[in-house]
Amino acid sequence: MGFAVSDDILGTFVPIVIYWAYSGIYALLGSLENYRLHSKKEEDEKNLVSKGTVVKGVLLQQALQAIVALILFTVTGSDDGGITDSKPSLIVLARQFVTAMLVLDTWQYFMHRYMHHNKFLYKHIHSQHHRLVVPYAFGALYNHPVEGLLLDTIGGALSFLLSGMSPRASIFFFSFATIKTVDDHCGLWLPGNLFHLFFRNNTAYHDVHHQLYGSKYNFSQPFFVMWDRILGTYMPYSLDKRAGGGFEARPSKDYKDD
């Protein structure tokens, strides 16, 4: 008899494995100065937290997310332990994915924006993520545990529940969302990156938000930029060659003096 792993377990732990595997690829590519949005020197000097602390913080958040995910799957699952042979059509899967993307984006935009505008929440919670002035891949989920719960865990639970996707479908959705989030924080503008081609919300867009001049703009994450555009928090920028190699995301002139 073969050993079967339930969809619940896979949906919980596959995105975590993918997070570290995909981050590891970018860590190996981090020496490519000609494709960096900030120099390695800036990364070392501007960031306010050590990489060891970042790793511990991310592992803590992932542990909490795993616990919540297992509880959620248990509460919403069937008696088959999460193993199912039902195969929804591609149209149904596409609808579920788009719904989940919109739900996650909407939840994270408004929570993220509120955490910037509420001085208490920013000082005591969200500022932890912004200790990474120069983002890098495995720091994507470096947040205060409360923020991880509010933005990522609850946002993910809502997108799962409101989209109606199965635990099996969630394996692919949350793996995709994880890859996208890591990519947005990778700090590299690599040629041929499909995320840069298909999403306006990308590495440079999110890098702008991590800079002091962009802290009140570009709140959208992880997929679209619609809420920033609708509510006037979109900061246009240009991607220019940086002296010494690499690129720099520079805001439009109208925003530099804000």
Side-chain angles (χ1 to χ4, degrees), residues 5 19 22 25 32 36 46 56 63 67 69 97 100 107-108 124 142 160-161 168 192 196 233 240 249 256:
V5 179
Y19 180 92
Y22 195 58
I25 294 173
L32 300 176
R36 293 178 63 99
K46 289 186 176 182
K56 293 176 184 177
I67 292 170
F97 267 56
W107 177 263
Q108 293 210 348
H124 296 284
Y142 176 65
F160 171 75
L161 293 171
R168 179 164 297 181
H196 298 166
T233 53
D240 304 320
K256 289 182 179 179

Side-chain angles (χ1 to χ4, degrees), residues 90-193:
L90 290 178
I91 294 177
V92 171
L93 283 174
R95 174 179 55 78
Q96 291 174 341
F97 267 56
V98 171
T99 300
M101 291 167 77
L102 292 173
V103 169
L104 188 58
D105 265 31
T106 299
W107 177 263
Q108 293 210 348
Y109 173 85
F110 287 100
M111 289 299 299
H112 185 193
R113 182 175 178 177
Y114 184 65
M115 284 190 173
H116 272 270
H117 286 278
N118 184 293
K119 293 182 180 180
F120 177 86
L121 290 178
Y122 184 81
K123 179 180 179 180
H124 296 284
I125 295 178
H126 188 56
S127 62
Q128 178 169 321
H129 182 67
H130 281 272
R131 292 175 187 173
L132 293 178
V133 180
V134 178
Y136 49 78
F138 66 84
L141 291 183
Y142 176 65
N143 300 312
H144 190 284
V146 173
E147 177 176 348
L149 176 65
L150 292 176
L151 260 73
D152 298 315
T153 307
I154 294 179
L158 287 172
S159 64
F160 171 75
L161 293 171
L162 295 179
S163 67
M165 67 174 57
S166 66
R168 179 164 297 181
S170 77
I171 299 170
F172 298 96
F173 174 74
F174 288 116
S175 294
F176 176 64
T178 295
I179 291 172
K180 179 66 171 60
T181 299
V182 169
D183 207 89
D184 291 345
H185 289 80
C186 72
L188 292 170
W189 193 264
L190 294 173
N193 188 322

Side-chain angles (χ1 to χ4, degrees), residues 7-23:
D7 293 340
D8 298 357
I9 296 296
L10 291 173
T12 300
F13 292 104
V14 166
I16 294 176
V17 173
I18 286 178
Y19 180 92
W20 291 106
Y22 195 58
S23 296

